mmCIF file of all heavy atoms in Angstrom:
data_model
loop_
_atom_site.group_PDB
_atom_site.id
_atom_site.type_symbol
_atom_site.label_atom_id
_atom_site.label_comp_id
_atom_site.label_asym_id
_atom_site.label_seq_id
_atom_site.Cartn_x
_atom_site.Cartn_y
_atom_site.Cartn_z
ATOM 1 N N CYS A 109 174.699 198.215 -97.614
ATOM 2 C CA CYS A 109 175.879 197.471 -98.069
ATOM 3 C C CYS A 109 176.609 198.190 -99.197
ATOM 4 O O CYS A 109 177.840 198.195 -99.250
ATOM 5 C CB CYS A 109 175.467 196.066 -98.520
ATOM 6 S SG CYS A 109 175.011 194.963 -97.163
ATOM 7 N N VAL A 110 175.841 198.793 -100.105
ATOM 8 C CA VAL A 110 176.469 199.537 -101.203
ATOM 9 C C VAL A 110 177.253 200.722 -100.655
ATOM 10 O O VAL A 110 178.394 200.975 -101.054
ATOM 11 C CB VAL A 110 175.398 200.015 -102.209
ATOM 12 C CG1 VAL A 110 176.009 201.028 -103.188
ATOM 13 C CG2 VAL A 110 174.828 198.837 -102.974
ATOM 14 N N LYS A 111 176.662 201.459 -99.727
ATOM 15 C CA LYS A 111 177.328 202.621 -99.148
ATOM 16 C C LYS A 111 178.589 202.226 -98.377
ATOM 17 O O LYS A 111 179.578 202.966 -98.365
ATOM 18 C CB LYS A 111 176.371 203.372 -98.228
ATOM 19 C CG LYS A 111 175.299 204.174 -98.947
ATOM 20 C CD LYS A 111 175.896 205.359 -99.690
ATOM 21 C CE LYS A 111 174.827 206.226 -100.305
ATOM 22 N NZ LYS A 111 175.405 207.400 -101.029
ATOM 23 N N SER A 112 178.546 201.075 -97.726
ATOM 24 C CA SER A 112 179.696 200.651 -96.924
ATOM 25 C C SER A 112 180.719 199.869 -97.738
ATOM 26 O O SER A 112 181.779 199.528 -97.235
ATOM 27 C CB SER A 112 179.224 199.800 -95.743
ATOM 28 O OG SER A 112 178.626 198.595 -96.201
ATOM 29 N N GLY A 113 180.384 199.557 -98.997
ATOM 30 C CA GLY A 113 181.307 198.827 -99.851
ATOM 31 C C GLY A 113 181.393 197.349 -99.524
ATOM 32 O O GLY A 113 182.435 196.714 -99.729
ATOM 33 N N ALA A 114 180.305 196.782 -99.022
ATOM 34 C CA ALA A 114 180.304 195.369 -98.647
ATOM 35 C C ALA A 114 180.446 194.465 -99.862
ATOM 36 O O ALA A 114 180.031 194.815 -100.974
ATOM 37 C CB ALA A 114 179.015 195.035 -97.900
ATOM 38 N N ASP A 115 181.025 193.310 -99.640
ATOM 39 C CA ASP A 115 181.211 192.349 -100.726
ATOM 40 C C ASP A 115 179.859 191.827 -101.212
ATOM 41 O O ASP A 115 178.904 191.722 -100.434
ATOM 42 C CB ASP A 115 182.063 191.174 -100.232
ATOM 43 C CG ASP A 115 182.439 190.227 -101.350
ATOM 44 O OD1 ASP A 115 183.326 190.577 -102.158
ATOM 45 O OD2 ASP A 115 181.848 189.134 -101.431
ATOM 46 N N GLY A 116 179.794 191.468 -102.471
ATOM 47 C CA GLY A 116 178.547 190.984 -103.059
ATOM 48 C C GLY A 116 178.000 189.741 -102.386
ATOM 49 O O GLY A 116 176.783 189.562 -102.294
ATOM 50 N N SER A 117 178.887 188.877 -101.914
ATOM 51 C CA SER A 117 178.428 187.655 -101.256
ATOM 52 C C SER A 117 177.685 187.972 -99.966
ATOM 53 O O SER A 117 176.754 187.250 -99.581
ATOM 54 C CB SER A 117 179.608 186.722 -100.970
ATOM 55 O OG SER A 117 180.549 187.340 -100.105
ATOM 56 N N VAL A 118 178.067 189.054 -99.300
ATOM 57 C CA VAL A 118 177.386 189.469 -98.073
ATOM 58 C C VAL A 118 175.988 189.972 -98.407
ATOM 59 O O VAL A 118 175.013 189.650 -97.710
ATOM 60 C CB VAL A 118 178.182 190.569 -97.340
ATOM 61 C CG1 VAL A 118 177.389 191.128 -96.165
ATOM 62 C CG2 VAL A 118 179.512 190.026 -96.860
ATOM 63 N N VAL A 119 175.860 190.737 -99.484
ATOM 64 C CA VAL A 119 174.555 191.242 -99.915
ATOM 65 C C VAL A 119 173.629 190.072 -100.235
ATOM 66 O O VAL A 119 172.477 190.026 -99.794
ATOM 67 C CB VAL A 119 174.696 192.157 -101.145
ATOM 68 C CG1 VAL A 119 173.324 192.648 -101.597
ATOM 69 C CG2 VAL A 119 175.603 193.333 -100.828
ATOM 70 N N ASN A 120 174.126 189.112 -101.011
ATOM 71 C CA ASN A 120 173.318 187.950 -101.381
ATOM 72 C C ASN A 120 172.920 187.141 -100.148
ATOM 73 O O ASN A 120 171.800 186.629 -100.061
ATOM 74 C CB ASN A 120 174.084 187.065 -102.363
ATOM 75 C CG ASN A 120 174.257 187.722 -103.721
ATOM 76 O OD1 ASN A 120 173.453 188.578 -104.112
ATOM 77 N ND2 ASN A 120 175.297 187.339 -104.439
ATOM 78 N N PHE A 121 173.853 187.027 -99.217
ATOM 79 C CA PHE A 121 173.589 186.271 -97.999
ATOM 80 C C PHE A 121 172.465 186.919 -97.196
ATOM 81 O O PHE A 121 171.566 186.232 -96.687
ATOM 82 C CB PHE A 121 174.865 186.202 -97.160
ATOM 83 C CG PHE A 121 174.712 185.441 -95.871
ATOM 84 C CD1 PHE A 121 174.569 184.065 -95.880
ATOM 85 C CD2 PHE A 121 174.722 186.103 -94.654
ATOM 86 C CE1 PHE A 121 174.428 183.351 -94.696
ATOM 87 C CE2 PHE A 121 174.589 185.405 -93.470
ATOM 88 C CZ PHE A 121 174.439 184.021 -93.489
ATOM 89 N N LEU A 122 172.487 188.234 -97.080
ATOM 90 C CA LEU A 122 171.447 188.948 -96.353
ATOM 91 C C LEU A 122 170.081 188.771 -97.027
ATOM 92 O O LEU A 122 169.054 188.626 -96.357
ATOM 93 C CB LEU A 122 171.798 190.432 -96.252
ATOM 94 C CG LEU A 122 173.011 190.772 -95.380
ATOM 95 C CD1 LEU A 122 173.332 192.256 -95.484
ATOM 96 C CD2 LEU A 122 172.773 190.390 -93.930
ATOM 97 N N LYS A 123 170.078 188.755 -98.348
ATOM 98 C CA LYS A 123 168.831 188.546 -99.079
ATOM 99 C C LYS A 123 168.248 187.172 -98.755
ATOM 100 O O LYS A 123 167.039 187.023 -98.556
ATOM 101 C CB LYS A 123 169.072 188.661 -100.587
ATOM 102 C CG LYS A 123 169.353 190.068 -101.083
ATOM 103 C CD LYS A 123 169.562 190.063 -102.586
ATOM 104 C CE LYS A 123 169.857 191.461 -103.121
ATOM 105 N NZ LYS A 123 170.089 191.443 -104.585
ATOM 106 N N VAL A 124 169.116 186.175 -98.694
ATOM 107 C CA VAL A 124 168.667 184.819 -98.385
ATOM 108 C C VAL A 124 168.093 184.757 -96.973
ATOM 109 O O VAL A 124 167.062 184.123 -96.736
ATOM 110 C CB VAL A 124 169.826 183.812 -98.537
ATOM 111 C CG1 VAL A 124 169.433 182.439 -97.996
ATOM 112 C CG2 VAL A 124 170.238 183.704 -99.995
ATOM 113 N N LEU A 125 168.750 185.419 -96.034
ATOM 114 C CA LEU A 125 168.246 185.444 -94.661
ATOM 115 C C LEU A 125 166.854 186.064 -94.604
ATOM 116 O O LEU A 125 165.971 185.576 -93.890
ATOM 117 C CB LEU A 125 169.198 186.232 -93.757
ATOM 118 C CG LEU A 125 170.540 185.575 -93.406
ATOM 119 C CD1 LEU A 125 171.326 186.496 -92.469
ATOM 120 C CD2 LEU A 125 170.344 184.214 -92.747
ATOM 121 N N VAL A 126 166.655 187.143 -95.364
ATOM 122 C CA VAL A 126 165.344 187.802 -95.380
ATOM 123 C C VAL A 126 164.307 186.883 -96.006
ATOM 124 O O VAL A 126 163.211 186.688 -95.453
ATOM 125 C CB VAL A 126 165.409 189.138 -96.148
ATOM 126 C CG1 VAL A 126 164.008 189.722 -96.317
ATOM 127 C CG2 VAL A 126 166.301 190.131 -95.416
ATOM 128 N N GLU A 127 164.624 186.298 -97.140
ATOM 129 C CA GLU A 127 163.679 185.443 -97.849
ATOM 130 C C GLU A 127 163.300 184.212 -97.022
ATOM 131 O O GLU A 127 162.165 183.737 -97.072
ATOM 132 C CB GLU A 127 164.260 185.016 -99.197
ATOM 133 C CG GLU A 127 164.373 186.162 -100.190
ATOM 134 C CD GLU A 127 164.967 185.724 -101.513
ATOM 135 O OE1 GLU A 127 165.031 184.500 -101.747
ATOM 136 O OE2 GLU A 127 165.342 186.593 -102.309
ATOM 137 N N ASN A 128 164.267 183.698 -96.270
ATOM 138 C CA ASN A 128 164.011 182.513 -95.448
ATOM 139 C C ASN A 128 163.508 182.864 -94.050
ATOM 140 O O ASN A 128 163.398 181.990 -93.196
ATOM 141 C CB ASN A 128 165.282 181.670 -95.335
ATOM 142 C CG ASN A 128 165.650 181.001 -96.642
ATOM 143 O OD1 ASN A 128 164.939 181.122 -97.631
ATOM 144 N ND2 ASN A 128 166.767 180.300 -96.653
ATOM 145 N N LYS A 129 163.215 184.143 -93.840
ATOM 146 C CA LYS A 129 162.719 184.621 -92.545
ATOM 147 C C LYS A 129 163.688 184.279 -91.410
ATOM 148 O O LYS A 129 163.284 183.875 -90.323
ATOM 149 C CB LYS A 129 161.341 184.023 -92.251
ATOM 150 C CG LYS A 129 160.279 184.359 -93.284
ATOM 151 C CD LYS A 129 158.931 183.760 -92.900
ATOM 152 C CE LYS A 129 157.876 184.049 -93.951
ATOM 153 N NZ LYS A 129 156.551 183.478 -93.579
ATOM 154 N N ARG A 130 164.967 184.480 -91.668
ATOM 155 C CA ARG A 130 165.995 184.170 -90.685
ATOM 156 C C ARG A 130 166.901 185.362 -90.397
ATOM 157 O O ARG A 130 167.912 185.218 -89.718
ATOM 158 C CB ARG A 130 166.863 182.995 -91.181
ATOM 159 C CG ARG A 130 166.122 181.684 -91.319
ATOM 160 C CD ARG A 130 165.805 181.088 -89.968
ATOM 161 N NE ARG A 130 165.236 179.755 -90.072
ATOM 162 C CZ ARG A 130 163.943 179.478 -89.995
ATOM 163 N NH1 ARG A 130 163.075 180.472 -89.814
ATOM 164 N NH2 ARG A 130 163.492 178.248 -90.100
ATOM 165 N N VAL A 131 166.558 186.534 -90.899
ATOM 166 C CA VAL A 131 167.440 187.685 -90.722
ATOM 167 C C VAL A 131 167.530 188.099 -89.259
ATOM 168 O O VAL A 131 168.509 188.732 -88.838
ATOM 169 C CB VAL A 131 166.978 188.871 -91.592
ATOM 170 C CG1 VAL A 131 165.719 189.515 -91.028
ATOM 171 C CG2 VAL A 131 168.089 189.899 -91.746
ATOM 172 N N ASN A 132 166.540 187.721 -88.453
ATOM 173 C CA ASN A 132 166.597 188.032 -87.026
ATOM 174 C C ASN A 132 167.728 187.284 -86.326
ATOM 175 O O ASN A 132 168.111 187.620 -85.206
ATOM 176 C CB ASN A 132 165.264 187.684 -86.355
ATOM 177 C CG ASN A 132 164.933 186.205 -86.453
ATOM 178 O OD1 ASN A 132 164.862 185.656 -87.554
ATOM 179 N ND2 ASN A 132 164.707 185.564 -85.329
ATOM 180 N N MET A 133 168.298 186.276 -86.996
ATOM 181 C CA MET A 133 169.415 185.517 -86.428
ATOM 182 C C MET A 133 170.763 186.135 -86.775
ATOM 183 O O MET A 133 171.808 185.574 -86.436
ATOM 184 C CB MET A 133 169.414 184.068 -86.944
ATOM 185 C CG MET A 133 168.127 183.307 -86.716
ATOM 186 S SD MET A 133 168.274 181.541 -87.177
ATOM 187 C CE MET A 133 169.155 181.637 -88.737
ATOM 188 N N LEU A 134 170.763 187.269 -87.450
ATOM 189 C CA LEU A 134 171.997 187.839 -87.990
ATOM 190 C C LEU A 134 173.100 187.995 -86.950
ATOM 191 O O LEU A 134 174.250 187.631 -87.206
ATOM 192 C CB LEU A 134 171.710 189.190 -88.641
ATOM 193 C CG LEU A 134 172.919 189.892 -89.275
ATOM 194 C CD1 LEU A 134 173.550 189.027 -90.353
ATOM 195 C CD2 LEU A 134 172.516 191.252 -89.839
#
Side-chain angles (χ1 to χ4, degrees):
C109 288
V110 168
K111 286 292 185 180
S112 64
D115 187 75
S117 61
V118 173
V119 179
N120 291 334
F121 180 71
L122 292 174
K123 289 181 180 179
V124 171
L125 288 182
V126 173
E127 291 179 14
N128 290 358
K129 301 182 182 181
R130 295 288 187 261
V131 73
N132 62 303
M133 305 187 316
L134 181 59

